[in-house]
Amino acid sequence: MTEVLQYVIDGAALGSLYALFALGIGLIFGIMNLINFAHGELVMVGGYVLVFVSAPSTIVRVTLMIVIVIVFALVMERVAFRPVRGARADTLLVTSFAVSFLLQSLAIVLIGALQKSVGILSSLNESFTVGELSIRKLDVFTVAVTAGLLAALVVFLGRTRLGVQMRAAAEDFRMARALGVRANTVIATAFALSGLLAAVAALILVAQTGVVSPTMGLTVVLAAFIATIVGGLGSLTGAVLGGYVLGALTVALQATLPLGYRPYRDAFVFAIVVLVLILRPQGLISSRAVVERV
Amino acid sequence: MSAAQIRAEDISVHFVGVKAVDGVDLTLGYGEILGLIGPNGAGKTTLVNALTGFQEPTGGRVFLDDVEITGWTPHAIGRRGLGRTFQGIRLFRELTAFENVELGALGVGASRKEARMLATELLERMHLRDRADQKAGSLPYGDERRIGLLRVLAMKPSFLLLDEPAAGMNEGESDDLTTAIGEIRNEFGCGVLVIEHDMRVIMGLCERIQVLDYGKTISLGTPAEVQRDPAVITAYLGTKRGASAAAAPELPEVPDAS
Amino acid sequence: MIRGSRLHARWLLLAMAALALMLGSAACGGDDSGDDAGDTSQSTEAATEDPIVIGSAVALTGGLSAFDLPAVAGTEIAIEEINASGGILGRQVKLVKADTKSDINQGARAGLEVLEQGADAMIVTLDYNFGGGAAREAQKAGKVVIAPGAGSAKFGVQGIGNMAYTLGIAAQTDSTVAAEWGIEKKGFKTAYLLLDDVTDYDKDQCSSFKQVWTELGGEILGEDTFKNNDTSVAAQVTRIKSLGQEPDLIMLCSFPPGGAVAVKQLRDADVNSAIISNGAMDGTYWFEDSIPNLSGFYITASASVWGDDPSDRINEFVEKVTAKDKQPQSYFTVLGYIAVYTFKTAMEQANSTDGAAMVAEMDTWDKEDIGGLALTFTPEQHIDTAREERIIEVNNGKHRVVDVRAAKKQLPLFGS
Ligand SMILES: Nc1ncnc2c1ncn2[C@@H]1O[C@H](COP(=O)(O)OP(=O)(O)OP(=O)(O)O)[C@@H](O)[C@H]1O
Ligand SMILES: [Mg+2]
């Protein structure tokens, strides 16, 4: 029983991280019809900021990191994605792919291919025990921060002017523009939010793994991509759900597959994903049709 | 009349192989209702797109109260007082009815509080109060139409450009709509441009009618004048609408300007 | 709706294609930056005779450059030393480089490039798959080719040809040394296998360890797998913690970054077993900030770059590298250095730069002292299984050689 509960905690922590990844991708997709492959590189930038920036206190270091990643996301939108806004799906995809590739290469050239180790939030690496269960503080932190961020996002989207406008724009960009919604503002806000999500994801990821490398974005994007597809492209609830499903599935398979099959864990995950998509082609939560945008 | 009006001069929109709009002049005065008609593909929607910033015109200029607005972004034109609807209602289906209406007000710079008040008031006036918290996607068709209209009205526009507002309505509903548009004009004093295939709506509402065919104005005048114009009769030959238009199928939207 | 879902489908397809492309290129450490290194001649004074040319067809850019660049640094120092003391056979030595960009498909091209520049011998990327392309070109041209750290016996007669040698250690040898050390020296009884199943090397290492460990009477408490790019091994850690008994030794068959993640998450979860891994986990870079007080961690290595290698020659070399550049992070830099001395000894013994003549000498080497390492090759085996390996312990974040031993048991290197 203890063992099962322990696995549940493992799954919840991993799922939270995946949900954060997926939400960043889902947000931009909703607004721009763009699957932002470079989202993973935002996480990478966050990681390297933690490597290179030392500050007297963790709060300052983390705040600085969040600000830098958000600015980076905004610059990325302005420089790379604004010029192709409204272009065909494949153009957008190729652009984001190129941005991702460029940033990875840049990191290898400027910083080197070798990973760097980072110490952050090391005080959260201790465990506390509840009964026979030993729970890592970092896992609690991960789940709590994700929940807090999700709640804040719900309030933002539901209660604020920009939030309502963003949801409208996500649904029908042309119509929203006719109603006075500023395209630039809404898209920039979406990128800033995805930057925030990437920064928090970077913090948690780096605290958990202790490493930063130029290619770390790939893992992020792969997980986010699968989670959003399973959850339902275009639905933010779907992205979050997809993240938790993916996390739970990964841990469950790791825990239950016989040793000989464990190397194929990811293949099993993909098989289940494909099965879900056959049964529900629009994902677990089907959103409105993906309509063409301005 | 010259101070408050939309004035478009010599507007052209050329797509590859198609002159969708080809040198059209148009004026719409404050408080006036103008009908814009013409066969399918005549260029009506494209012309409205050009007026509202959704389509950069190939040539020509657009003035709003003597300020040139050619090349402005849609939201800037919207904030300037030019509200429009699209062919088809296109409510934000995931948003509530209330939020849909509220958006119009937010879009022109109202504060959150003002927007809520205005939305409440408008919904009350249309007897849609109890629909407020329902998702727009789940509204009955008639209410959907009305919310669509409220949404653009919440922008408090000086000019209202309606693209086929009666499409898909039965006779009773389109009569109601005709009345509502008349009342809106009287209450807000705004100028209204109506694109419509349903001639009963056009004839019942408009002071002037402008007829497009193949991107050019072929007739402009009072309803009586236009009805008698031989050019109009030729253009509509074989696609006679009139009273039967109410039964005409909803026309698919041409993918415009993207 | 119909238009919507068709668009949706098209989207998915496109996105998946792009992702596949991305993963594919990442697997090859794809990287298009940087220019062709081309000819970056390193020779010193103009020699009266034509210089001997050593070609380096390695990853100067991209993901694998992390391993190749340190080896190149070692190569450059060896050439400087040799040129300062009269060269090889009285001729100066010149280095030419070509970049494989960490792309498996660029290996052959890079190999040809250095051959065109007159390479008499070649050094390639330290991996059978990534170095193989260039090595086959050297084999065809009849030039001796060395992969400083390839840990597969296939890099040799069997997989490339008689001209190919590796200075690396086979997974079987590494794990035999690890198991014999654990049982005989440390008196450990129980072990646990944690396999990152991405590379053949790691798979071979864990399976040979299991065999030797049980043959020596040790018990395997359990085994598990993970993937190098996993962000969490929490489930694997939970399985270990649920054993009811902490294993004496965890054999971690992995490499950074995945191996680093595993060590951190094991220690974070208070799993305090000794952990032993291989040379790919040498260095401080992967833990210095994330697990600054790392203890009870061990690797098997061909040399120590931490100042306490049993060979003074190697310690001197490390000092030179540190003075010139910075503290080396792994013994691959030593192997890049040894590679040049391997060529030198072979050329001098053969009194020729001819590949076949060099091979004839090298295949007779039995603990031949080359630049501080004792090398053993036979006509059938171009990987050294008699190497005196260093067991290096990390205690409180510091490396220290705690044992030197060669494998007693010789496991078959092929098809076991
Ligand atoms: N983006 C575009 N690219 C190319 N051609 C276009 C584009 N938008 C419209 N057209 C063409 O321009 C012409 C005018 O189209 P428009 O939609 O303005 O007609 P309309 O008068 O609104 O017709 P309907 O009554 O069917 O709505 C048509 O031939 C149409 O095919
Ligand atoms: Mg139209």
Side-chain angles (χ1 to χ4, degrees):
Chain A
M1 191 58 206
T2 319
E3 197 178 338
V4 173
L5 278 178
Q6 199 79 55
Y7 282 126
V8 169
I9 294 170
D10 297 342
L14 189 60
S16 297
L17 198 54
Y18 287 168
L20 285 180
F21 296 163
L23 210 49
I25 297 263
L27 207 61
I28 300 298
F29 181 81
I31 294 283
M32 274 189 85
N33 248 8
L34 159 77
I35 293 188
N36 186 12
F37 280 104
H39 186 73
E41 277 60 50
L42 291 178
V43 175
M44 173 195 82
V45 167
Y48 277 117
V49 172
L50 291 178
V51 171
F52 291 113
V53 173
S54 53
S57 80
T58 307
I59 302 269
V60 175
R61 193 163 160 221
V62 170
T63 311
L64 207 64
M65 185 271 280
I66 293 177
V67 170
I68 292 177
V69 174
I70 290 176
V71 169
F72 206 91
L74 289 171
V75 171
M76 189 193 268
E77 189 274 319
R78 186 68 190 82
V79 175
F81 294 124
R82 194 173 294 182
V84 294
R85 190 189 294 169
R88 287 166 31 160
D90 30 6
T91 311
L92 290 176
L93 209 57
V94 169
T95 306
S96 84
F97 180 51
V99 171
S100 159
F101 198 71
L102 182 82
L103 291 174
Q104 267 179 52
S105 308
L106 217 58
I108 292 181
V109 170
L110 296 179
I111 303 166
L114 209 59
Q115 59 161 330
K116 303 262 181 212
S117 67
V118 194
I120 184 97
L121 301 182
S122 28
S123 55
L124 293 179
N125 282 329
E126 300 156 9
S127 303
F128 60 94
T129 46
V130 179
E132 279 182 45
L133 217 56
S134 136
I135 302 172
R136 272 206 312 165
K137 288 182 184 166
L138 187 58
D139 289 344
V140 177
F141 176 82
T142 302
V143 175
V145 166
T146 306
L149 215 53
L150 289 184
L153 194 63
V154 167
V155 170
F156 171 77
L157 290 175
R159 297 283 160 79
T160 67
R161 160 200 297 265
L162 255 178
V164 175
Q165 292 192 331
M166 234 166 100
R167 274 154 62 217
E171 220 181 295
D172 188 341
F173 209 98
R174 273 175 84 74
M175 192 68 225
R177 296 187 77 188
L179 289 167
V181 172
R182 290 170 197 266
N184 287 348
T185 311
V186 163
I187 291 182
T189 308
F191 269 89
L193 280 177
S194 84
L196 173 68
L197 289 164
V200 174
L203 174 67
I204 293 174
L205 183 63
V206 167
Q208 278 192 354
T209 61
V211 300
V212 176
S213 73
T215 50
M216 66 191 282
L218 277 178
T219 318
V220 172
V221 162
L222 182 64
F225 183 67
I226 296 170
T228 39
I229 300 250
V230 170
L233 254 181
S235 156
L236 295 186
T237 323
V240 173
L241 183 69
Y244 279 102
V245 166
L246 186 62
L249 204 59
T250 307
V251 169
L253 286 171
Q254 184 68 40
T256 55
L257 280 177
L259 183 65
Y261 292 99
R262 260 177 252 159
Y264 309 106
R265 181 198 65 200
D266 290 349
F268 281 97
V269 172
F270 290 140
I272 294 172
V273 165
V274 168
L275 206 69
V276 167
L277 290 181
I278 289 171
L279 297 176
R280 292 187 65 90
Q282 298 280 339
L284 294 175
I285 296 187
S286 60
S287 72
R288 73 254 162 215
V290 178
V291 288
E292 278 184 85
R293 305 283 151 79
V294 172
Chain B
M1 196 73 173
S2 86
Q5 63 171 15
I6 300 175
R7 183 158 46 85
E9 290 174 356
D10 199 22
I11 298 293
S12 298
V13 179
H14 295 179
F15 298 114
V16 190
V18 194
K19 293 181 175 175
V21 178
D22 196 13
V24 173
D25 293 327
L26 180 145
T27 55
L28 175 62
Y30 211 65
E32 183 193 15
I33 301 186
L34 171 70
L36 184 62
I37 65 171
N40 290 131
K44 306 178 293 290
T45 299
T46 308
L47 177 58
V48 166
N49 284 345
L51 299 181
T52 50
F54 281 87
Q55 174 70 56
E56 177 110 32
T58 321
R61 314 203 298 167
V62 187
F63 296 90
L64 180 59
D65 297 350
D66 288 335
V67 176
E68 182 165 0
I69 57 168
T70 331
W72 285 23
T73 57
H75 76 81
I77 292 175
R79 277 161 184 254
R80 192 83 197 186
L82 235 168
R84 71 167 292 187
T85 64
F86 287 86
Q87 230 165 315
I89 319 171
R90 289 167 68 170
L91 288 186
F92 301 109
R93 302 171 61 82
E94 304 277 311
L95 273 57
T96 62
F98 188 87
E99 286 172 331
N100 266 279
V101 179
E102 198 188 353
L103 256 173
L106 289 175
V108 291
S111 74
R112 198 78 215 289
K113 201 167 147 221
E114 289 163 0
R116 305 203 85 124
M117 273 165 53
L118 182 62
T120 313
E121 189 192 319
L122 285 172
L123 285 168
E124 221 149 61
R125 195 138 15 125
M126 282 275 201
H127 310 291
L128 286 168
R129 189 82 203 275
D130 46 336
R131 296 282 192 210
D133 293 328
Q134 212 167 318
K135 275 218 173 146
S138 65
L139 291 174
Y141 186 74
D143 288 350
E144 236 182 312
R145 281 263 163 217
R146 286 190 279 167
I147 296 287
L149 210 53
L150 288 186
R151 183 173 61 177
V152 63
L153 281 178
M155 297 172 77
K156 296 194 178 159
S158 324
F159 296 95
L160 203 51
L161 314 187
L162 306 174
D163 198 345
E164 301 193 18
M169 285 189 171
N170 64 31
E171 266 186 40
E173 286 168 341
S174 63
D175 285 346
D176 287 349
L177 181 82
T178 310
T179 319
I181 294 174
E183 280 174 15
I184 287 164
R185 187 263 307 263
N186 294 339
E187 192 150 334
F188 293 85
C190 56
V192 183
L193 181 145
V194 189
I195 299 177
E196 192 47 72
H197 287 300
D198 185 340
M199 285 306 152
R200 285 179 337 112
V201 175
I202 293 290
M203 294 304 163
L205 268 177
C206 303
E207 281 109 34
R208 285 192 305 141
I209 296 175
Q210 183 161 356
V211 188
L212 293 190
D213 195 17
Y214 292 112
K216 288 187 194 302
T217 305
I218 57 164
S219 186
L220 175 62
T222 63
E225 286 166 0
V226 168
Q227 261 177 327
R228 279 195 307 270
D229 193 330
V232 178
I233 296 165
T234 319
Y236 272 93
L237 211 66
T239 54
K240 184 142 175 42
R241 286 186 159 73
S244 70
E250 191 177 357
L251 297 151
E253 187 190 0
V254 179
D256 36 17
S258 55
Chain C
M1 254 332 205
I2 287 180
R3 186 177 70 161
S5 53
R6 205 186 304 127
L7 252 175
H8 191 92
R10 199 177 63 156
W11 250 112
L12 286 187
L13 265 166
L14 265 168
M16 282 178 179
L19 201 71
L21 204 70
M22 222 156 136
L23 288 172
S25 70
C28 310
D31 172 25
D32 254 331
S33 58
D35 303 329
D36 272 20
D39 181 357
T40 48
S41 320
Q42 271 278 322
S43 78
T44 45
E45 319 92 77
T48 42
E49 238 181 309
D50 276 350
I52 288 176
V53 178
I54 291 177
S56 182
V58 298
L60 300 171
T61 57
L64 285 173
S65 64
F67 302 101
D68 277 351
L69 286 179
V72 170
T75 301
E76 284 172 349
I77 287 184
I79 290 177
E80 274 168 31
E81 279 178 10
I82 290 169
N83 282 339
S85 60
I88 300 173
L89 300 173
R91 292 162 66 187
Q92 288 287 296
V93 181
K94 176 180 148 188
L95 181 67
V96 295
K97 293 188 250 183
D99 188 5
T100 66
K101 300 177 179 173
S102 301
D103 182 347
I104 201 160
N105 300 312
Q106 300 258 355
R109 202 220 73 238
L112 284 172
E113 203 173 308
V114 297
L115 286 170
E116 268 163 29
Q117 293 175 59
D120 296 296
M122 196 190 292
I123 297 175
V124 299
T125 291
L126 32 68
D127 175 83
Y128 171 66
N129 294 310
F130 283 87
R136 288 192 182 87
E137 295 304 327
Q139 173 74 34
K140 269 188 238 162
K143 310 288 181 195
V144 173
V145 55
I146 290 181
S152 164
K154 281 189 282 183
F155 198 100
V157 188
Q158 291 80 359
I160 310 275
N162 68 327
M163 299 278 161
Y165 294 81
T166 173
L167 301 183
I169 293 291
Q172 291 84 346
T173 311
D174 262 339
S175 53
T176 304
V177 169
E180 288 171 352
W181 164 81
I183 299 265
E184 292 170 6
K185 171 103 188 214
K186 300 291 280 188
F188 291 152
K189 306 259 182 301
T190 57
Y192 191 90
L193 304 173
L194 197 49
L195 166 64
D196 166 356
D197 60 32
V198 174
T199 68
D200 286 341
Y201 179 90
D202 289 311
K203 285 185 222 171
D204 287 348
Q205 188 177 25
C206 264
S207 64
S208 335
F209 180 90
K210 188 178 179 182
Q211 184 186 341
V212 178
W213 187 264
T214 42
E215 277 174 17
L216 291 174
E219 185 189 351
I220 300 284
L221 292 183
E223 38 189 313
D224 208 347
T225 62
F226 69 107
K227 295 258 181 271
N228 197 265
N229 60 4
D230 279 352
T231 55
S232 164
V233 294
Q236 289 83 345
V237 170
T238 297
R239 194 187 298 276
I240 294 178
K241 297 208 77 160
S242 307
L243 287 173
Q245 173 191 4
E246 197 162 79
D248 295 330
L249 181 64
I250 294 175
M251 173 81 234
L252 176 65
C253 309
S254 183
F255 57 98
V261 172
V263 173
K264 173 169 164 59
Q265 295 189 355
L266 282 168
R267 287 295 186 248
D268 282 350
D270 295 327
V271 175
N272 294 315
S273 311
I275 302 173
I276 189 158
S277 192
N278 55 61
M281 295 286 286
D282 200 358
T284 53
Y285 68 95
W286 59 266
F287 70 81
E288 59 194 350
D289 287 321
S290 54
I291 333 168
N293 300 319
L294 179 64
S295 289
F297 180 81
Y298 301 84
I299 60 164
T300 49
S302 291
S304 165
V305 290
W306 309 104
D308 61 345
D309 195 84
S311 154
D312 291 338
R313 178 89 186 263
I314 287 173
N315 292 330
E316 275 165 33
F317 161 73
V318 169
E319 265 171 42
K320 247 185 218 169
V321 178
T322 311
K324 193 178 166 198
D325 183 19
K326 54 178 189 270
Q327 161 73 43
Q329 283 291 313
S330 85
Y331 66 83
F332 293 129
T333 192
V334 178
L335 299 180
Y337 172 83
I338 304 282
V340 183
Y341 279 98
T342 308
F343 292 141
K344 177 174 190 282
T345 309
M347 285 170 181
E348 285 174 352
Q349 287 177 355
N351 197 21
S352 157
T353 59
D354 176 61
M358 287 164 68
V359 166
E361 295 298 331
M362 289 169 74
D363 284 350
T364 65
W365 286 357
D366 182 13
K367 304 224 162 126
E368 187 83 13
D369 184 353
I370 307 292
L373 267 194
L375 298 185
T376 304
F377 295 121
T378 69
E380 296 77 37
Q381 198 164 296
H382 286 186
I383 190 166
D384 186 1
T385 57
R387 177 90 37 97
E388 297 252 285
E389 288 217 69
R390 284 68 160 149
I391 307 276
I392 300 176
E393 176 185 26
V394 178
N395 186 37
N396 223 345
K398 295 273 177 294
H399 287 81
R400 181 165 65 105
V401 176
V402 290
D403 198 10
V404 178
R405 55 168 59 232
K408 290 180 188 157
K409 182 175 175 72
Q410 290 291 327
L411 288 178
L413 295 181
F414 292 99
S416 58

